Amino acid sequence: MKKRLLSVLLCSAMVAAMAVGCGGGSSDSGSSDEGGSDSGSSDVITIGFSQVGAESDWRTANSESMQDTFSEENGYNLIFDDAQQKQENQITAIRNFINQEVDYILLAPVTETGWDTVLQEAYDADIPVIIVDRMVEVSNDDLYTTWIGTDSLLEGRKAAEWLNAYATAKGWAPEDLHIVDIQGTIGSTAQIGRTQGLEEGVEKYGWDLLAQQTGEFTQAKGQEVMESLLKQYDNINVVYCENDNEAFGAIDAIEAAGKTVGTDIEAGEILVISFDTTNAGLTDVLNGKIVCDVECNPLHGPRAEALIQALENGEEVEKLNYVDEEIFAFDNTVESVTAVNSLDEEGEYAVTPITQEIIDGRAY
Ligand code: GYE
């Protein structure tokens, strides 16, 4: 069971050496010995994709992007597995993909750690693994071929710098910002980076961070956590939600408690910050319920495909592929923020006041 990439490379070498075609004929003797899964004469690329789950609007958009890209019409056979936010399900899915001798494994890992064993198995089976969205922390980086995703730490830093600039413009003293952090799935890259961005802001600017609790990136848990935080603390004026769905739940909890979300914290309003910029998230920015939403782009299908096509062509690909992302806000108080990304590069990022036209023009 030679992996597809290798046979493509061998084919190119044979073409160069003997000027004969490769893979087009139905009785290609050169590769008849081991008979790959779906080889034959077809050019179909079989991909096993282990998706985290369906916990958020972002995730749904991400799954759709992958399914639209790796379609039959586009020449792919996609085996899609929804792990329901459980790592053990992802490990089982990867083992099934290996047994099925897929050409590539795509993995959107729920958390960063715990992948060494199963990725070693994929490696031993010569199946390239492409990590999408969140990252993996493995003892040997050779265990995956490449990664495509978001810079969550940069996202967190953008949000923190926005909050500092907003508070400064409004004349709010740092110690008067009483923040709760509704975290994402603990141990996921998105949680680790966004939490760190906030914590750095707390350290740098002296905000009052009241509590940190996971909302598991879901609306239901976001609401539950916010309900209990509102009972514990009567002075919360900033909620830092690590994704839009948690923000939707938190807003429901705040409103159910008879409070209002918005920008006037001196009048008792609670200011909501979020991540993802999903359609519903940006709609809440437009109506002032979320004041700042940091973009996290879920449309990884075409990006993953470009990497696979490069590998098919025998090209080298970058190990880490970060996606560029924006910042949207309810108003124009803050025009831009300066933040350092995960590669230690400082950049200035514009903050775009949201409009209905912008929302209508977006792909997700
Ligand atoms: O922000 C959240 C999703 O890993 C970047 O996971 C992703 C995050 C995204 O559930 O909505």
Side-chain angles (χ1 to χ4, degrees), residues 55-56 58-59 133-134 150 152 190 194 217 242-245 275-276 296:
E55 73 283 1
S56 65
W58 187 98
R59 188 65 55 195
D133 166 25
R134 303 173 185 172
T150 199
S152 302
R194 292 168 191 171
F217 284 132
E242 294 188 8
N243 82 342
D244 280 346
N245 289 78
F275 298 85
D276 281 358
C296 178

Side-chain angles (χ1 to χ4, degrees), residues 174-233:
E175 62 275 16
D176 291 338
L177 294 185
H178 307 294
I179 306 172
V180 294
D181 174 14
I182 304 184
Q183 297 170 289
T185 301
I186 299 298
S188 68
T189 306
Q191 176 274 316
I192 294 170
R194 292 168 191 171
T195 295
Q196 186 183 327
L198 174 66
E199 288 173 348
E200 288 176 358
V202 169
E203 181 80 2
K204 229 161 121 182
Y205 301 116
W207 304 324
D208 175 28
L209 179 58
L210 293 169
Q212 294 176 289
Q213 215 175 309
T214 182
E216 281 157 23
F217 284 132
T218 69
Q219 177 162 349
K221 193 77 193 200
Q223 179 169 354
E224 191 186 308
V225 167
M226 193 65 211
E227 272 164 14
S228 88
L229 290 170
L230 285 165
K231 285 182 194 137
Q232 284 174 65
Y233 304 96

